[in-house]
Each structure stands twice: as structure tokens, then as C-alpha cells.
Amino acid sequence: MTQLSPESRMLGALYGQMLGDALGMPSELWPRERVKKHFGWIDRFMDGPAENNAACYFKAAQFTDDTSMALALADALLEADGKVVPELIARNVIRWVDSFDAFNKNILGPSSKVALAEQKKGVAISELENNGVTNGAAMRVSPLGCVLPSAPLENFCEQVWLASSPTHKSDIAVAGAVVIAWAVSRAIEGASWQEIKLALPDVAKYAQTRKSTTFSASLGARIELAFATVAKSQGTEQASEAVYQLVGAGVSTIESVPAALAMVELAGTCPNQCAVLCANLGGDTDTIGAMATAICGALNGIEVFKKEWLDELKRVNPQDMTRYSDAFRRFRQQAQEAE
């Protein structure tokens, strides 16, 4: 087996985020039955349907707010030489929000909308409560997983909390972001999915119990349920249905992060298969797709992506992703040397 380079894994994570987001965009926030009835089966890029008031603004292969905010975080990391500066992240996110007129469209999650509106009024991030439980921190965190070494876990959690703080400070929202970022980070370090999977419930528990701010259910327990649900199902259709019904596929962190991990498992870590399964899941398809396919991309590298999908993503979203992967490799090395 060829040893994958960190750059290949980082590009896999970044394009995985983009692929899962763009393929899952047309069906986002629709119930599973409606997705089946309207699309049959999503296995290619499609325009957002006019009747989907979250997806109607986007064309085929275009990424949504998930990846726009991930790139806002990535740009803030570039500007600060790999350091997490919440104010830079917030500034970049607000720039995107304003350019897309996202406050007046059904794009922003409720927690992000409130927090960003307060910051636009001049309220400092440190003064915001930001105790929302939605998945806005987890959906954008994959670039930070590229930069941060997975250990020590305490420092990892603190950095993810800082990166989340412009929109989310709750124990569950930050724990969800830690789980996604840590899975990406371990994959970049060359860990197998089996190793990562076994560790995730404990990582979630540690992250969630560091600073208790909500009465949320246990993320670690829900992750275990997600993996068990996939394990006892027969085939992808039955497993997807069970994940949707038992684990949940909504915008809350406690549903969408475990659902994303279930999809990584169900797809056998293949980013192409994962993006398709997430797009057809129902619920918060683009966000679950972005998180899950970023992990799959980091595990398998950019080389395994379908060439026609990658070409289409690059054509529709002309971003030079190598400028991120080059810088992130350097930042990661510096962080490892500083330990």
C-alpha cells in the first residue's frame, strides 16, 4: 500500500468537505421520504430545487455555507500563521454572510445568526453567550483538523473551542467540533478508521465534560449508538433508514455529528460513496455530508476521488486548495516541533 502524503490527506479533507456539501445541497433540510420522492436517488451534482428554500440559491456542484465558513476559518489560519484567532474567523465569516446576503436567506443556522448579528453591532466575542447546540462549529472545523496535531487532547479541545467561539461555545457544539476535527487530524497522522472509531466516544466524552453549559445527552453515547445501528443493519438502505430514525439527521450537534460518523462507517470510508449516502439520508444532508466526507477524504487521500466530480467541483468553485494544504503542512510541523 502506498504511503499517503499529508498533503494528499489534507486535500482529501478539504475537497471531501466540498464534495459532501455540494452533493448534499439539493436535498438539505428535507425529510427522507420527500428526498426519495423528489429525487429518487442522488448520485450526481444537481441544482438546488426552487421549492427547497435552503438550497434554491445554489447551482449544481456549488458548495454552501458549510464550506464557505470552513474556508473563512482556513483563511483566518493562513493569515495568523496557523494560530486560532477568533476575531479573524468571525470577520471572514461576516464578510461571506454580507456578500451572500445570508441574513435575509434561509442559510444561516439559528445560533450563528444570533451570534453574528451581535458581533455586527460591535459586541465582543468574549461577551457573547453563544450557548446554541446546533452544528455550525462542527460543519466548518475540518481545516483546523488539518493543522492541529491530535495530542495533547486538552490543547486540541481548547483550540477547537476558540475556533468555535465566534458562533458556538456550548459544551455539546464544541464537543461535536472536537470529534470531527480530531477524526480528521488522526487520519492525517495515518491512523486507521478502526483506531479512530474506537477512540471517538471517549474523545467526545472528554470534550463535552470539560465545561458543562447545557443539559445535552451524551455525545459519546450517541456515537456508540450510531456505530451499533450501522453494525446491526443489513445493507445501506436499512442502515441509512435506521440512522435517520434512531440517531437523527437534524441540525443539532447531538444528531448530525453521530450521523456523519455512521455514514463514514457505512461507506467503508470511501469519500465518493459517503457523499452519495449522505445526500440521500434526509435531514441536514449537506452538513452531514461535509463532515463525513471530509473524514473519508483525510483517510484515503485526494487520489481516490472520482475525477469527473473533482473536475466539476474545481470548475464551479475555482479555489486553489493547494495553498491551504501547503501552508497547513507547515503549520502542523511547527506545532509538532513546539511540543
Side-chain angles (χ1 to χ4, degrees), residues 123-147:
V123 179
I125 292 169
S126 58
E127 291 172 29
L128 294 169
E129 188 182 353
N130 287 8
N131 204 31
V133 299
T134 45
N135 55 22
M139 76 181 192
R140 67 172 183 257
V141 81
S142 60
L144 190 56
C146 294
V147 169

Side-chain angles (χ1 to χ4, degrees), residues 114-188:
V114 170
L116 296 171
E118 287 295 298
Q119 286 167 75
K120 277 175 75 80
K121 289 179 198 166
V123 179
I125 292 169
S126 58
E127 291 172 29
L128 294 169
E129 188 182 353
N130 287 8
N131 204 31
V133 299
T134 45
N135 55 22
M139 76 181 192
R140 67 172 183 257
V141 81
S142 60
L144 190 56
C146 294
V147 169
L148 285 180
S150 65
L153 187 55
E154 185 179 357
N155 178 63
F156 192 92
C157 290
E158 190 54 39
Q159 295 302 304
V160 173
W161 185 89
L162 279 174
S164 306
S165 65
T167 55
H168 295 75
K169 295 178 184 175
S170 74
D171 48 9
I172 181 63
V174 173
V178 166
V179 162
I180 299 299
W182 192 86
V184 168
S185 180
R186 286 296 289 132
I188 284 164

Side-chain angles (χ1 to χ4, degrees), residues 134-135 138 180 247-261 284 287-288 291:
T134 45
N135 55 22
I180 299 299
V247 179
V251 299
S252 60
T253 302
I254 196 69
E255 292 187 13
S256 54
V257 167
L261 298 174
D284 201 0
T287 299
I288 291 169
M291 296 187 292

